[in-house]
Amino acid sequence: MGKTTTAINLAASLAQSGERVLIVDMDAQANATHGLGVRLAEGEPGVLEVLLGERHLADVIRACTVPGLDIVPSSPDMAGASVLLPEMDERERRLKRALATAEHVLSEYSFVFIDCPPSLGLLTVNALVAADRVIVPVQAEYYALEGLAQLMSTVAAVKERLNPSLRIAGLVVTMMDPRTTLARQVEGEIRRHFPSLSFKTVVPRNVRLAEAPSHGLPVSMLDPRCAGSDAYFDLAMEVAEHG
Ligand SMILES: Nc1ncnc2c1ncn2[C@@H]1O[C@H](COP(=O)(O)OP(=O)(O)OP(=O)(O)O)[C@@H](O)[C@H]1O
Ligand SMILES: [Mg+2]
């Protein structure tokens, strides 16, 4: 949990610091797309058509409410990908290929973030094959640690078989309620297990972060002074520094 919130707000913070940033929404829920105020009309092409090879990436990129931040939008039609993609050749490399053929467009961006769907299926594999680094939001709750182990083994498997240059950029503890002992224990566990992999920034549980998507805005444009906005600016600094 926290993937889309992190994708939107980290990308927006970097864009507001003057970087050109692209988000690729790989989820049929289209939370990143809608959360940035973009909505595909019936029949309008988005990420699905790019994966199917029917459209060039450059043809579907949209600007959003944040200057400097663009998005490759998704829509509920993307649910069709789970039926169509498995039948295609190079099914794990569809996104990688689409990005490679759009190199001249992508060179305008300093960061490309790919927002993954909830399951570790073919779309997530496509994202991991196309990416060179993975940012893993970890919810400060006990069961999050189990999901983390599963994700780490998926990343390792993709690295071994499909994308040797893949690495974990970092784990970011999110939805932190510092008043609860359990949340602090979980944060401690994460830092003990992954000392060199944990971002210093911790994203607090913050109601403005949950409200912002319904306004089609990142939190920094809804309430630039709230704790959620501060946290994602700090995280953006860490990500920018790590290169
Ligand atoms: N730091 C936070 N404080 C408060 N609410 C949060 C925070 N981070 C995320 N949320 C809320 O928790 C819910 C899940 O977060 P989010 O959509 O970012 O998770 P996700 O990993 O993208 O989920 P999915 O796997 O369904 O795509 C959303 O309603 C979001 O607004
Ligand atoms: Mg999501």
Side-chain angles (χ1 to χ4, degrees), residues 122-136:
L122 191 49
L123 289 172
T124 296
V125 170
N126 262 271
L128 294 174
V129 170
D132 38 42
R133 285 184 286 163
V134 191
I135 294 177
V136 186

Side-chain angles (χ1 to χ4, degrees), residues 53-94:
E54 293 170 2
R55 293 292 180 124
H56 194 265
L57 189 95
D59 298 339
V60 305
I61 292 177
R62 302 280 189 103
C64 72
T65 44
V66 189
L69 176 58
D70 294 339
I71 185 155
V72 174
S74 183
S75 75
D77 290 349
M78 181 67 163
S82 59
V83 182
L84 299 168
L85 276 195
E87 305 298 321
M88 306 195 81
D89 61 305
E90 297 236 76
R91 57 187 184 162
E92 292 105 345
R93 297 180 196 278
R94 306 298 302 187

